[in-house]
């Protein structure tokens, strides 16, 4: 008797996110570089025109619409219009190799491709192999470039299209977006999210940044938002959706150029961004000596926030903290904001928390578990893999049941990240699961060892890998390039002695000290410049 | 191909609300008067013990568990434990007549009844007719009272019960709570909400109070919450759930006694409450002349916030605004917070907005429509009924398909409230639909007329009703009681002249001025002290 359905079954769909923002702040600004400045009302109208235009070239429910663009207002329009039609937005990662871009677009079965003119040469190279694509649309700030790919141009199409498109009341489980992981091994893997997942992610992330009075990297209605994690990468953390819901001023920087970013922050009064450490470093390096960016708040993700970088940013008036997530998780899982009991710490002590991976946001269940599924002790030493449940995780790797099975083994999503937990519940990543060294039932973090060895004055570069050991399974091996001036002047024993200091301080166990240290002239790298640990393992095994 | 289900299908259930609050702020306080003070960890343990105890007396999925209590920590425990078990929490409105309480408990088919010892005499009177009830549990701050109703006492049960209860992973559409409307006509009607609705209401209300930087009645992690809308009335606006999610300090005042409330606000540092105007008035009247309640923020709902009361509160250091909702809507629909374009108004002008019904919160679609479903013009004069869609509306009136049909006519929930809209989109209620006067195709607000007539110095009390008119359908009639000192000294013409001033100011149309004004010694009232407009209509029709 109590199970009756509502006469109007309210679905969690992206339309509601856009519509609340527009009715609340119709005159609020959206800015694209120094080229475009319009209001939320304009955004709303253009989203409708875009849908009409796409419908005219055959986009319907389920059509895969690929976008290759920098961070622009047009991309924001696609963020809403494409999923709101019931079509699927494929955010193409333009930083992949040409071969992988072709692979993902074929794998996704894209039918319509919106392409920034800067990527036109790239698309022209692979267009003959993109056999599912029926239409290309050019995105350009200037006039239409010469191409025999298409004569469709975005702005021209919007001008001609009706603004009276009626977005359907979709089922909330309708797929909204599709992206590909950027793992270093194998082909990119497809991950996707439905409307319900994006709406719940939007609500929870918005609340996480708004509701904690003392959270110094807060995000509320008065803030000004500019993404610095590309929009083609897991929805730019989903923050464009959060910003739109709240009716916040938004600034889109196009391609990331350090001076342009610094100028936009100052000119448009940007207060919140998110990026990988490299981008922040680039911006800081581009500042003049007395130039400051006071009032700018930056959340760092993608890889660990180095304390040195955090301090450098703080010196420039920037507030900084960490967040964590991945392509498979929509992405946000944790934010490193301070719990009530830590608010009385000194600024110095607080930074130690801001550089951690963080604390789970509402509705994220995060466990750090050993191989037997036991949760690690919260002692900052016990290591395990981060596994999660949340309302916004990819249900699978697209068309890859085998990898999906690994991803969701045991009913929890496996992140592949190895972490420790402290007594307050903060998580801190110490390694990737494929790099952690499993020695006699204990796990040794290669990253921790690398970080400690690198504090020795003679060390230029270091990599630690596990090599097979008959008795212990694996044992750590350190591979070191010494600085020119120390060549031949540093021994295996000296490095071990250096590490013993950290053993005494309790930072690592004695067991973690590598049995063997080798000195080399060069450490092998992958095509994207990361240390090639697989090659090292092969090199030194046996 | 893109429709695959996640390996873990995350459900929106109340367990997740409680668990986030506890893991974030385990040591945060929950206070009940000056009697109990414990932490979120304690709450978590007691919720588990309560579930074990209830299971032992037969509560299972779908069991209706009634609670009759003031605002206590025990009631908060029930807010979580009962729905989290999959049982249904019936929040019994103890302010109803004995007959109606009996009616609702029989109608709900309650099986277990948790009853504060103060309501024991009441329950004892009807217990023989409560034939679905299998067990009673006594809630008491002191020792067990003498009664042959039961020998089960809440604290004793918790002490004996296991703290290891495992709450199930419910389907989010499982019914969680059940309440009854307090309409003035006919029997109370049953409304109910499922876990998904309560969770989404919690998220949206939390965001509404947290994300707007300039919102002077904000609610964030540093606030201290105390309900003053009873917990038996639409989940105390759902704010106990919001407070718990955020890990906020909570204060429960028991029965509402004005001096106790004022003392708790000061002693415990309460910063946020919500109540009807009457309660706020009571508290203000109980203050000593130089006593202030600085830092207290109060949201007024239930009936219109009179400007005079708002000013009186502000004088005492209280920040005040309005909210709107009803039993059928979980309840929150609107909050009267300022839109960006209004932030530069003077304090005087801002108050005009704080006393309005408000602006829809995220995911609430609110229309003000005429009988032909056309939306009213946003000119503050055009009147229509408020109809809504939102993720948290009751699907029906329990076991009442006929009234349900009226409630959901046309796929929108009909509030029965008549409102106007201003150019910024703020809604302002001007009447109940049953009281509005429909005259020649135009609607005339009885409340507006009453409010304007009451500004005449001779008027002690006034009621305006529509009486049948052959030509116009209805015409307004004003019924006035004059003050002792003005008896016989004020004429029908004088009152009409008084109203013409407002016609000139554009506040009402000439058409709204009553054709007829009658002076009486007394205006008939209903059993709860409201003006009995039905009796007046009968009296003066024809």
């Amino acid at each position: 008797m109590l199970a009756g359905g509502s006469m109007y079954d309210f679905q969690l769909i992206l339309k509601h996110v856009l519509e609340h923002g527009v009715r609340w702040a119709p005159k609020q600004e959206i800015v694209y570089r120094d080229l475009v400045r319009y209001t939320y009302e304009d955004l709303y109208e253009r989203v409708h025109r875009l849908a009409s235009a796409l419908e005219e070239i055959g986009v319907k429910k389920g059509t895969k619409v690929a976008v290759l663009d920098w961070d622009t207002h047009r991309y924001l329009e696609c963020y809403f219009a494409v999923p709101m039609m019931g079509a699927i937005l494929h955010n193409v990662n333009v930083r992949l190799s040409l071969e992988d871009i072709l692979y993902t677009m074929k794998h996704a079965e894209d039918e319509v491709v919106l392409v920034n003119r800067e990527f036109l040469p790239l698309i022209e190279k692979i267009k003959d192999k993109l056999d599912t694509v029926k239409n290309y649309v050019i995105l350009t700030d200037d006039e239409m470039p010469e191409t025999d790919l298409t004569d469709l141009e975005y702005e021209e199409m919007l001008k001609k299209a009706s603004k009276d498109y009626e977005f359907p009341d979709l089922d909330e489980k309708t797929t909204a977006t599709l992206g590909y992981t950027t793992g270093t091994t194998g082909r990119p893997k497809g991950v996707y999210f439905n409307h319900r997942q994006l709406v719940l992610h939007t609500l929870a992330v918005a609340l996480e940044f708004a509701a904690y009075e003392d959270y110094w990297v807060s995000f509320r209605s008065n803030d000004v938002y500019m993404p610095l994690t590309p929009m083609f990468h897991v929805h730019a953390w989903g923050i464009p959706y959060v910003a739109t819901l709240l009716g916040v001023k938004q600034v889109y920087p196009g391609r990331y150029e350090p001076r342009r970013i610094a100028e936009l922050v100052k000119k448009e009064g940007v207060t919140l961004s998110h990026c990988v450490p490299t981008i922040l470093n680039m911006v800081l390096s581009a500042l003049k000596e007395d130039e400051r960016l006071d009032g700018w708040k930056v959340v760092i993700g993608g890889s660990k926030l180095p304390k040195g970088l955090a301090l450098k940013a703080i010196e420039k008036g920037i507030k900084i903290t960490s967040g964590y997530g991945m392509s498979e998780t929509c992405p946000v899982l944790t934010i490193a904001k301070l719990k009530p009991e830590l608010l009385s710490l000194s600024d110095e002590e607080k930074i130690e928390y801001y550089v951690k991976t963080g604390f789970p946001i509402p509705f994220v269940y995060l466990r750090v578990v050993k191989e037997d599924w036991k949760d690690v002790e919260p002692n900052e030493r016990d290591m395990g893999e981060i596994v999660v449940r949340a309302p916004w995780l990819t249900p699978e790797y697209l068309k890859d049941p085998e990898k999906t099975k690994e991803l969701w083994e045991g009913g929890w999503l496996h992140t592949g990240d190895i972490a420790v937990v402290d007594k307050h519940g903060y998580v801190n990543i110490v390694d990737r699961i494929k790099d952690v060294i499993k020695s006699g039932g204990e796990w040794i973090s290669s990253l921790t060892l690398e970080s400690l060895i690198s504090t020795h004055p003679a060390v230029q570069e270091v990599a630690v890998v596990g090599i097979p050991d008959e008795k212990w399974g694996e044992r750590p091996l350190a591979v070191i390039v010494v600085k020119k001036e120390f060549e031949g002047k540093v021994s295996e024993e000296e490095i071990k002695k250096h590490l013993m200091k950290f053993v005494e301080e309790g930072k690592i166990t004695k067991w973690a000290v590598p049995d063997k240290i080798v000195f080399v002239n060069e450490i092998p790298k992958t095509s994207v410049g990361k240390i090639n640990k697989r090659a090292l393992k092969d090199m030194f095994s046996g």
Side-chain angles (χ1 to χ4, degrees), chain A:
Chain A
M1 126 207 130
L2 284 172
S6 152
M7 302 261 309
Y8 181 76
D9 193 8
F10 199 100
Q11 297 294 296
L12 300 175
I13 55 179
L14 286 174
K15 180 164 76 165
H16 304 320
V17 170
L18 175 63
E19 288 184 344
H20 184 69
V22 173
R23 76 181 178 188
W24 176 252
K27 301 297 179 198
Q28 181 63 276
E29 283 185 317
I30 293 167
V31 179
Y32 166 51
R33 295 177 51 191
D34 53 357
L35 301 173
V36 177
R37 184 177 298 267
Y38 66 47
T39 68
Y40 271 52
E41 272 176 344
D42 298 328
L43 168 69
Y44 192 65
E45 184 181 320
R46 283 171 59 94
V47 163
H48 284 75
R49 288 181 184 275
L50 174 56
S52 298
L54 290 175
E55 188 178 48
E56 238 165 83
I57 58 170
V59 172
K60 49 185 196 295
K61 199 164 179 246
T63 306
K64 270 72 96 195
V65 178
V67 175
L68 294 89
D69 198 5
W70 302 119
D71 292 3
T72 70
H73 61 301
R74 293 185 199 99
Y75 210 149
L76 181 67
E77 290 156 13
C78 295
Y79 263 43
F80 286 102
V82 176
M84 278 165 61
M85 299 175 74
I88 299 165
L89 178 70
H90 174 197
N91 297 303
V92 179
N93 185 341
V94 296
R95 295 239 182 88
L96 293 177
S97 67
L98 186 60
E99 201 183 327
D100 275 348
I101 289 178
L102 173 63
Y103 171 80
T104 61
M105 293 179 73
K106 280 181 77 78
H107 188 265
E109 301 171 44
D110 294 330
E111 291 178 49
V112 171
V113 179
L114 280 67
V115 54
N116 185 310
R117 66 178 297 165
E118 291 189 42
F119 304 114
L120 199 49
L122 183 156
I123 286 294
E124 278 172 338
K125 269 186 216 147
I126 56 176
K127 68 168 196 279
D128 292 339
K129 292 180 189 151
L130 289 171
D131 39 26
T132 56
V133 178
K134 293 173 190 151
N135 273 300
Y136 293 90
V137 177
I138 303 294
L139 310 169
T140 172
D141 298 332
D142 319 303
E143 57 206 33
M144 182 72 172
E146 259 180 62
T147 174
D148 50 11
L149 192 71
T150 179
D151 53 7
L152 296 172
E153 189 270 323
Y154 188 94
E155 293 297 335
E156 199 54 37
M157 283 171 73
L158 259 59
K159 222 173 278 169
K160 284 192 211 140
S162 161
K163 64 180 173 39
D164 295 326
Y165 186 89
E166 266 201 45
F167 286 103
D169 277 329
L170 299 168
D171 184 288
E172 65 187 26
K173 302 237 168 141
T174 307
T175 302
T177 65
L178 170 63
Y180 283 80
T181 62
T182 51
T184 44
T185 55
R187 284 291 185 199
K189 297 186 284 292
V191 295
Y192 57 90
F193 304 94
N194 64 35
H195 282 256
R196 170 188 161 105
Q197 294 182 302
L198 290 171
V199 169
L200 291 173
H201 184 266
T202 302
L203 277 171
V205 172
L207 190 62
E208 172 75 7
F209 279 102
Y212 300 88
E213 194 70 75
D214 292 302
Y215 181 38
W216 78 328
V217 182
S218 61
F219 184 49
R220 302 195 186 111
S221 60
N222 285 10
D223 278 290
V224 177
Y225 168 65
M226 180 170 76
L228 288 176
T229 311
M231 294 179 83
F232 59 72
H233 185 61
V234 255
H235 326 108
W237 290 24
I239 314 292
Y241 290 127
V242 174
T244 305
L245 177 68
L246 298 184
V248 156
K249 177 175 168 182
Q250 302 181 47
V251 180
Y252 288 88
R255 187 186 189 134
Y256 298 162
E257 289 170 15
R259 273 311 310 168
R260 188 198 289 159
I261 289 170
E263 294 302 338
L264 280 173
V265 168
K266 289 193 292 180
K267 182 169 164 248
E268 300 295 341
V270 173
T271 61
L272 189 99
S273 297
H274 45 77
C275 61
V276 290
T278 316
I279 297 282
L280 178 65
N281 213 349
M282 256 173 49
V283 175
L284 290 178
S285 303
L287 292 184
K288 288 158 215 151
E289 209 184 316
D290 58 349
E291 200 177 3
R292 296 175 58 82
L293 294 174
D294 291 291
W296 196 28
K297 299 173 279 192
V298 180
V299 192
I300 293 293
S303 52
K304 188 152 184 69
L305 168 59
K307 196 174 159 188
L309 179 61
L311 291 169
K312 222 164 107 186
I314 290 168
E315 241 170 60
K316 287 292 190 182
I318 302 167
K319 289 179 177 168
I320 198 156
T321 196
S322 304
Y324 166 59
M326 52 203 296
S327 301
E328 289 86 341
T329 65
C330 200
V332 183
L333 297 172
T334 71
I335 295 289
K337 67 180 198 297
L338 295 185
K339 295 185 81 174
E341 63 263 36
L342 302 174
L343 291 171
S344 54
L345 294 181
S346 70
D347 286 351
E348 184 72 29
E349 291 167 316
K350 282 179 181 171
I351 292 172
E352 300 296 337
Y353 286 91
Y354 298 140
V355 301
K356 289 195 181 199
T357 304
F359 195 88
I361 74 168
F363 300 133
V364 170
Y365 285 78
L366 185 152
R367 293 174 63 193
V368 179
V369 295
K370 302 190 211 182
E371 281 162 309
D372 58 2
W373 284 94
K374 275 208 185 107
D375 295 87
V376 301
E377 293 296 322
N379 58 13
E380 295 186 75
R381 275 191 312 275
D382 214 5
M383 276 179 253
E385 186 188 6
I386 298 178
V387 297
V388 289
R389 285 176 173 173
W392 46 79
L393 310 178
T394 187
E396 60 172 5
Y397 286 127
L398 184 61
K399 303 185 215 169
D400 193 340
E402 206 161 304
K403 288 250 163 58
T404 297
K405 217 175 134 192
E406 285 170 30
L407 181 71
W408 274 104
E409 198 245 305
W412 290 75
L413 185 142
H414 290 252
T415 63
D417 286 315
I418 300 297
V420 296
V421 179
D422 72 17
K423 63 181 176 194
H424 301 286
Y426 287 81
V427 177
N428 205 15
I429 293 175
V430 294
D431 217 338
R432 287 289 297 167
I433 201 164
K434 62 181 172 45
D435 297 331
V436 78
I437 297 145
K438 293 170 187 170
S439 183
E442 255 192 67
W443 287 6
I444 298 168
S445 159
S446 65
L447 289 187
T448 304
L449 281 176
E450 285 164 8
S451 153
L452 295 176
I453 293 172
S454 72
T455 62
H456 188 284
V459 172
Q460 160 122 10
E461 197 177 12
V462 56
V464 173
V465 293
I467 50 165
D469 181 280
E470 232 167 74
K471 191 162 176 200
W472 304 112
E474 278 186 332
R475 286 297 297 150
L477 169 106
V479 184
I480 294 174
V481 179
V482 296
K483 290 180 187 157
K484 265 256 165 325
E485 60 270 32
F486 285 92
E487 258 172 34
K489 291 179 189 157
V490 60
S491 67
E492 199 172 333
E493 282 321 301
E494 165 133 10
I495 299 292
K496 286 187 187 169
K497 223 174 86 190
H498 178 70
L499 282 175
M500 285 309 290
K501 279 195 306 184
F502 298 111
V503 174
E504 276 158 38
E505 288 171 20
K507 286 203 172 143
I508 48 172
T509 62
K510 192 158 177 262
W511 186 244
V513 177
D515 296 336
K516 214 174 158 192
I517 287 161
V518 291
F519 298 95
V520 297
N521 292 327
E522 205 183 343
I523 289 177
K525 303 276 161 59
T526 68
S527 63
V528 293
K530 290 190 181 183
I531 288 174
N532 191 337
K533 292 204 170 178
R534 183 161 298 189
L536 280 175
K537 271 189 167 191
D538 292 347
M539 215 178 286
F540 293 101
S541 288

